[in-house]
């Protein structure tokens, strides 16, 4: 159980939730942003003292029933509820595992669609040839540097360069830190990227763990120019890996550029 992170997460979710969102009627001005502690306790059916101790990182491990009640009281999403359970030590740890064979086969059958696979730490662990041609020769990058965020900090073409990406990265790494609280690699990566991106640093402090299935991405290619793409994120079943597809609207310059790159690679092969 990670008492300190549990306390911070509960406080941030409480402060982000408005009384009207949970069916409470209030009158007059309120000093407390969001809900009051006693309101959350009442909604969850626990004592105010116990809830206060949770936010002070002084309470014993909450039961699954209490966690479910808190999730309902705070209107947590499925992802937020799972994160809460992990922080409370009520969910099994997620272990590192190889990329599923089915995902690897899919990478090779995507045609003119660049795609790569990342793990929970944003390490790039698999890719197809079109992604290598569009972004970087991943095989030539040392494994410890083959990371989306670190490549972004170096100015490589992996960079998205927008606040939307920073928010998603903060949410993903917050979830990863909940699953692997003692992983020094996540701690180091989070610290480095927070110094690089103010948007990431702000999002990290908000304890947001919501996932976004589609992100905008702009890639500056030396031959193809600037490409405005959509990064579609697919979570591999029964795995912590995510498959990232880079797509473009048919008929757009970016779409035609991807077709051109795919044809060029076909000629080279």
């Amino acid at each position: 159980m990670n008492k300190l992170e549990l306390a911070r997460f509960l406080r941030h979710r409480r402060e982000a939730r408005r009384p009207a969102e949970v069916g409470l009627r209030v009158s007059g001005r309120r000093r407390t942003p969001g809900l009051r502690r006693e309101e959350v306790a009442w909604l969850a059916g626990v004592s105010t003292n116990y809830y206060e101790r949770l936010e002070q990182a002084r309470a014993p491990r909450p039961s699954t029933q209490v966690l479910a009640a808190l999730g309902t009281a705070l209107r947590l999403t499925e992802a937020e509820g799972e994160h809460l359970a992990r922080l409370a030590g009520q969910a099994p740890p997620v272990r590192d595992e190889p990329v599923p064979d089915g995902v690897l086969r899919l990478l090779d059958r995507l045609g003119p669609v660049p795609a790569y696979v990342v793990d929970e730490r944003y390490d790039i662990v698999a890719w197809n040839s079109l992604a290598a041609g569009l972004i970087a020769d991943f095989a030539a990058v040392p494994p410890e540097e083959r990371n989306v965020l670190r490549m972004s900090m170096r100015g490589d073409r992996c960079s998205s360069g927008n606040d939307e990406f920073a928010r998603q990265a903060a949410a993903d790494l917050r979830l990863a830190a909940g699953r692997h609280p003692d992983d020094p690699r996540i701690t180091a990566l989070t610290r480095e990227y927070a110094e690089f991106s103010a948007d990431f640093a702000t999002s990290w402090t908000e304890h947001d763990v919501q996932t976004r299935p589609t992100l905008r991405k702009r890639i500056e290619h030396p031959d193809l120019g600037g490409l405005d793409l959509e990064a579609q994120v697919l979570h591999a079943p029964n795995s912590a890996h995510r498959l990232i597809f880079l797509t473009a609207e048919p008929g757009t310059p970016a779409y035609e550029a991807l077709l051109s790159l795919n044809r060029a690679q076909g000629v080279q092969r």
Side-chain angles (χ1 to χ4, degrees), residues 223-245:
D223 299 321
L224 302 174
L227 306 181
D228 291 311
L229 305 171
E230 283 192 347
Q232 309 283 342
V233 183
L234 176 65
H235 290 258
N238 304 315
S239 171
H241 293 103
R242 284 163 288 157
L243 182 59
I244 315 297
F245 302 90

Side-chain angles (χ1 to χ4, degrees), residues 46-95:
V46 300
S47 71
T48 300
N49 177 262
Y50 176 72
Y51 182 76
E52 288 176 345
R53 290 167 64 203
L54 279 175
E55 283 204 9
Q56 294 165 357
R58 296 191 300 112
R61 176 184 294 176
S63 67
T64 55
Q65 292 83 0
V66 168
L67 291 174
L70 288 173
T72 301
L74 292 169
R75 301 297 193 270
L76 299 184
T77 64
E78 182 178 355
E80 290 171 335
E82 291 177 358
H83 184 60
L84 177 67
R86 292 189 187 282
L87 294 179
Q90 296 287 7
V94 178
R95 295 176 173 83

Side-chain angles (χ1 to χ4, degrees), residues 216-227:
R216 291 174 291 107
K217 192 178 187 75
R218 182 172 178 83
I219 291 179
E220 297 292 340
H221 192 277
D223 299 321
L224 302 174
L227 306 181

Side-chain angles (χ1 to χ4, degrees), residues 79-80 82-83 86 120 168 170-180 204 208-211:
E80 290 171 335
E82 291 177 358
H83 184 60
R86 292 189 187 282
E120 293 180 284
Q168 184 59 68
D172 289 335
L173 286 181
R174 178 66 73 179
L175 284 170
R179 297 183 181 115
H180 307 280
W204 178 259
D208 177 23
V209 293
Q210 284 299 101
T211 58

